[in-house]
Amino acid sequence: MGWRRRLLPSCCCDFGRGGGGSVADDGLVWDVALKAHASGDYSVAVAQANEALEDQAQVLVSPASTLVGVYDGHGGPDAARFVNARLFSLIQEFASDNGGMSVEVIKKAFGATEEEFMGMVAKSWPTQPRLVSVGSCCLVGAIEDGTLYVANLGDSRAVLGRRAAPGDKAKKRVVAERLSRDHNVADEAVRREMSEAHPDDPHIVTSAHGVWRIKGIIQVSRSIGDAYLKRPDMCSPALMQTICPFPLRRPVMTAVPSVRTRRLRPGDQFLIFASDGLWEQLSDEAAVDVVARSPRKGVAMRLVRAAQLEAARKKDIRYESIAAIEKGRRRRFHDDITVVVLFLDNRPCSPRSGGSGDEIDGTCGPVDVFSLSSDDQGDDPARPVLR
């Protein structure tokens, strides 16, 4: 059933202080400690480091289906906010038209989101030229009829915590299984993929100060947006001179997601969806271990705290020192961090008490943590409109 039942006319997501979110003492973190989805509970947390929060997140829940989205922007927040506002609506629309969730539905929704964003950039280009260099990684998880779909562009990551098999050499109760592929040229396989796709371009991937980048500019090879690396006609010579040290002959990035499907099994315990702000600090195994050893309530925030503690350790300072640093300057210590933990209890789906059985609920992360106000969320144009 899922999204085939009914498409929402408006957003019903919890948002900010008034909708279940809490703001911790340092003013740059936000979380929803625990809420229910179709077959378990979930927890969401966000830590802002940039001047404008470039991460966005959302969870959409129906009685039989769950959608999770984590969008990590770069060059500014615009692309991530656009994806946050449109992608779930398009997934719902295509799922409704095609009889339910599928790999093709997800790929079509990603493609339509990219097309809409690039159209907006083209229309705004004369007055807002900076939009040509704005993009977003995009990670989506969908569960329907016992099947998990994980789709991604860029280097946000989905990791499964599952019960260890008998005789597991690691002697751990819960082990980590990565479900997404990082599209980042730090990975040798991605560099090889780029080189094979551009055999006539010796500068398709370059290294400077130990960091690999496409055309000397960007680390991720797939995204929504980044028009200047996909549409050479939208990149002026002046911009190319400023940003790109090597000529751009044709598109060097794509918006085609990697999609993996997996039937959920009794031993599957939980899923972690997070932006690379988490994974820059914690390994898959370390993150799964934190969740496995922690109470459910507030577990996403525990992961954020673990990442911040690791960032502080690397800089040889105390966590309290990071907590005292304002947005913008905090980016020197860690990136924006967004985490969604989705528990998998395999419990039967049932309508909420007193409900009609086709209700849809969810959580939208903050557009900007620092500027959260219970008085100014109602008319925010960047909030998702789900239909």
Side-chain angles (χ1 to χ4, degrees), residues 5 64 71 95 117 122 124 143 167 175 185 213-214 269 291 305 366 369 372:
R5 289 174 177 261
Y71 319 121
F117 183 74
S124 306
I143 299 175
V175 296
V185 290
R213 296 182 188 275
I214 297 169
Q269 304 287 294
V291 177
R305 292 296 194 212
V369 176
L372 274 178

Side-chain angles (χ1 to χ4, degrees), residues 46 134 332 354:
V46 179
V134 172
R332 302 174 191 175

Side-chain angles (χ1 to χ4, degrees), residues 50 57 91 107 115 242 295 344 362:
N50 286 294
I91 290 175
K107 286 186 173 181
E115 185 177 348
T242 303
L344 304 168

Side-chain angles (χ1 to χ4, degrees), residues 257-312:
S258 294
V259 185
R260 178 174 175 182
T261 63
R262 186 186 192 281
R263 289 294 296 176
L264 293 176
R265 304 161 192 162
D268 297 339
Q269 304 287 294
F270 54 82
L271 294 157
I272 304 171
F273 299 89
S275 61
D276 75 325
L278 180 80
W279 307 114
E280 285 175 351
Q281 309 298 338
L282 301 180
S283 67
D284 299 3
E285 294 75 16
V288 163
D289 193 48
V290 169
V291 177
R293 291 186 294 103
S294 300
R296 287 193 178 192
K297 190 171 184 179
V299 72
M301 183 57 74
R302 288 185 180 86
L303 279 173
V304 167
R305 292 296 194 212
Q308 291 178 313
L309 284 166
E310 178 60 16

Side-chain angles (χ1 to χ4, degrees), residues 77-131:
D78 312 74
R81 292 180 182 181
F82 187 95
V83 175
N84 196 54
R86 289 296 295 139
L87 181 58
F88 275 17
S89 293
L90 289 163
I91 290 175
Q92 287 179 279
E93 180 181 322
F94 290 133
S96 180
D97 292 344
N98 291 273
M101 197 65 65
S102 68
V103 171
E104 186 60 29
V105 160
I106 293 171
K107 286 186 173 181
K108 284 177 65 176
F110 271 65
T113 303
E114 166 83 345
E115 185 177 348
E116 288 186 9
F117 183 74
M118 296 293 266
M120 184 272 289
V121 171
K123 188 179 295 185
S124 306
W125 183 30
T127 57
Q128 300 185 70
R130 70 171 190 83
L131 290 178

Side-chain angles (χ1 to χ4, degrees), residues 30-51:
W30 172 97
D31 83 315
V32 171
L34 202 66
K35 286 188 69 175
H37 70 98
S39 58
D41 302 308
Y42 69 90
S43 180
V44 186
V46 179
Q48 181 172 346
N50 286 294
E51 185 67 28

Side-chain angles (χ1 to χ4, degrees), residues 6 30-31 85 105 149 175 205 217 227 273 300 318 322 347:
R6 177 169 59 91
W30 172 97
D31 83 315
V105 160
Y149 302 82
V175 296
V205 182
I217 303 171
F273 299 89
R318 294 172 57 84
I322 286 183
R347 67 191 184 202

